[in-house]
Amino acid sequence: MGSDLYALDFDGVLCDSCGESSLSAVKAAKVRWPFVFEQVDATMEEWIVEQMYTLRPVVETGYENLLLVRLLVEIRVPSTRKSSVADGLTVQEILENWLQLKPTIMADWQEDRDSLVDLFGRVRDDWIKNDFSGWIGANRFYPGTADALKFSSSEVYIVTTKQSRFAEALLKELAGIDFPSERIYGLGTGPKVKVLQQLQQMPQHQGLRFHFVEDRLATLKNVIKEPALDKWNLYLVTWGYITQKEMEEAEGISRIQLVDLPDFSKKFK
């Protein structure tokens, strides 16, 4: 094997799952809050999915898609409002203030993170079971990433907030890669900073160069705060769920390297 270890985020680095996660969120939100979605027709569903492409950069964990979908309905349909923030709220304001809005709407709606995570997973499982090709087709790998992964000579791990079984299914069915399940650290394996610490402490990884590739600036900033992770080379991709503002901020952080898609494919091989 090569002398490099790559820890790769999945959504936004390897795979564009925004269409699938938005459609799954609409399906799950209809189950969770049927009274909210009684007034949502097909045209409004299309509008919701369009807005989710704009809002995708704020999503750290999949269940947040459900919250965003419901909030969008409350913005458009005043009679459904149960939150204290929806009146006059814009999509741009959600993008800029999500960390403050999320706990507010969770409290207003009396929602629970674990049950939303569970529901989101079950709805995806049902979709996969009943319409596997439709679920697969709602995702796509970014150009060149599957080949880069397939032919890499480095030690590669996937570190993601997606549930591992979904990442593994997409790698196999969409990218044609039988990726070892023990190399996928998905939702429930702990924060990414802890996973990176585990990887660098494994005896078989001593002497390797460590690289972490992400599309969330906030995640890389959390890594920088951990002195124990000073050995990691950090990369922020320019093609994932990232805003122009975040890319500009990253350019001022010496520890972070911005990488575009062609450079990633070259570097990785």
Side-chain angles (χ1 to χ4, degrees):
M1 297 298 288
S3 56
D4 294 278
L5 181 150
Y6 281 86
L8 306 177
D9 181 36
F10 189 77
D11 295 309
V13 171
L14 297 173
C15 183
D16 178 7
S17 62
C18 189
E20 181 274 325
S21 60
S22 301
L23 291 167
S24 290
V26 171
K27 290 172 189 281
K30 285 178 178 177
V31 173
R32 188 71 166 182
W33 308 296
F35 59 92
V36 174
F37 279 79
E38 284 168 0
Q39 300 180 60
V40 175
D41 59 14
T43 303
M44 190 181 290
E45 278 189 25
E46 286 177 18
W47 175 81
I48 289 168
V49 172
E50 282 172 17
Q51 304 315 305
M52 291 296 287
Y53 276 93
T54 302
L55 292 171
R56 185 58 182 79
V58 304
V59 175
E60 183 176 12
T61 306
Y63 80 95
E64 294 174 70
N65 288 291
L66 273 82
L67 301 175
L68 289 165
V69 162
R70 176 170 174 179
L71 189 54
L72 287 168
V73 175
E74 289 201 5
I75 289 171
R76 285 292 288 267
V77 187
S79 63
T80 65
R81 285 178 192 160
K82 300 281 185 187
S83 71
S84 56
V85 299
D87 187 18
L89 190 67
T90 66
V91 169
Q92 188 60 34
E93 286 167 346
I94 299 174
L95 196 59
E96 291 169 2
N97 302 295
W98 181 238
L99 286 179
Q100 293 76 41
L101 291 169
K102 184 172 70 169
T104 303
I105 59 176
M106 289 278 280
D108 288 345
W109 298 336
Q110 299 180 305
E111 276 305 336
D112 164 64
R113 180 190 187 275
D114 290 344
S115 56
L116 291 175
V117 168
D118 180 62
L119 172 64
F120 199 48
R122 281 190 286 114
V123 165
R124 273 182 163 149
D125 284 333
D126 287 346
W127 189 2
I128 289 168
K129 182 180 172 185
N130 298 315
D131 178 21
F132 188 62
S133 62
W135 180 77
I136 289 289
N139 297 273
R140 70 180 185 100
F141 276 79
Y142 293 104
T145 58
D147 280 347
L149 196 58
K150 204 178 288 186
F151 300 115
S152 175
S153 59
S154 302
E155 292 273 357
V156 183
Y157 289 81
I158 288 169
V159 182
T160 176
T161 54
K162 199 182 198 77
Q163 288 171 313
S164 299
R165 65 185 183 275
F166 301 127
E168 195 173 349
L170 287 166
L171 284 161
K172 185 172 184 178
E173 300 298 332
L174 206 53
I177 300 170
D178 279 310
F179 200 85
S181 56
E182 67 274 12
R183 286 177 174 251
I184 302 176
Y185 287 79
L187 185 66
T189 55
K192 290 186 179 184
V193 289
K194 298 296 181 194
V195 173
L196 297 183
Q197 286 178 16
Q198 287 175 43
L199 291 175
Q200 76 177 21
Q201 287 165 2
M202 289 178 180
Q204 66 269 35
H205 296 155
Q206 301 314 300
L208 298 183
R209 290 185 296 267
F210 298 108
H211 310 273
F212 179 42
V213 186
E214 252 289 347
D215 73 316
R216 291 195 81 246
L217 178 59
T219 304
L220 293 179
K221 286 161 87 173
N222 284 340
V223 173
I224 291 169
K225 287 178 196 166
E226 288 286 337
L229 299 176
D230 283 349
K231 292 178 182 174
W232 287 84
N233 296 292
L234 304 179
Y235 306 89
L236 184 69
V237 304
T238 60
W239 63 86
Y241 311 130
I242 182 165
T243 64
Q244 186 63 36
K245 186 178 172 186
E246 287 172 325
M247 282 194 275
E248 288 166 7
E249 184 184 344
E251 285 177 338
I253 301 173
S254 60
R255 182 90 185 274
I256 296 173
Q257 300 176 55
L258 284 173
V259 59
D260 63 20
L261 201 43
D263 283 346
F264 170 80
S265 295
K266 278 187 226 154
K267 184 185 286 286
F268 208 61
K269 286 174 183 171

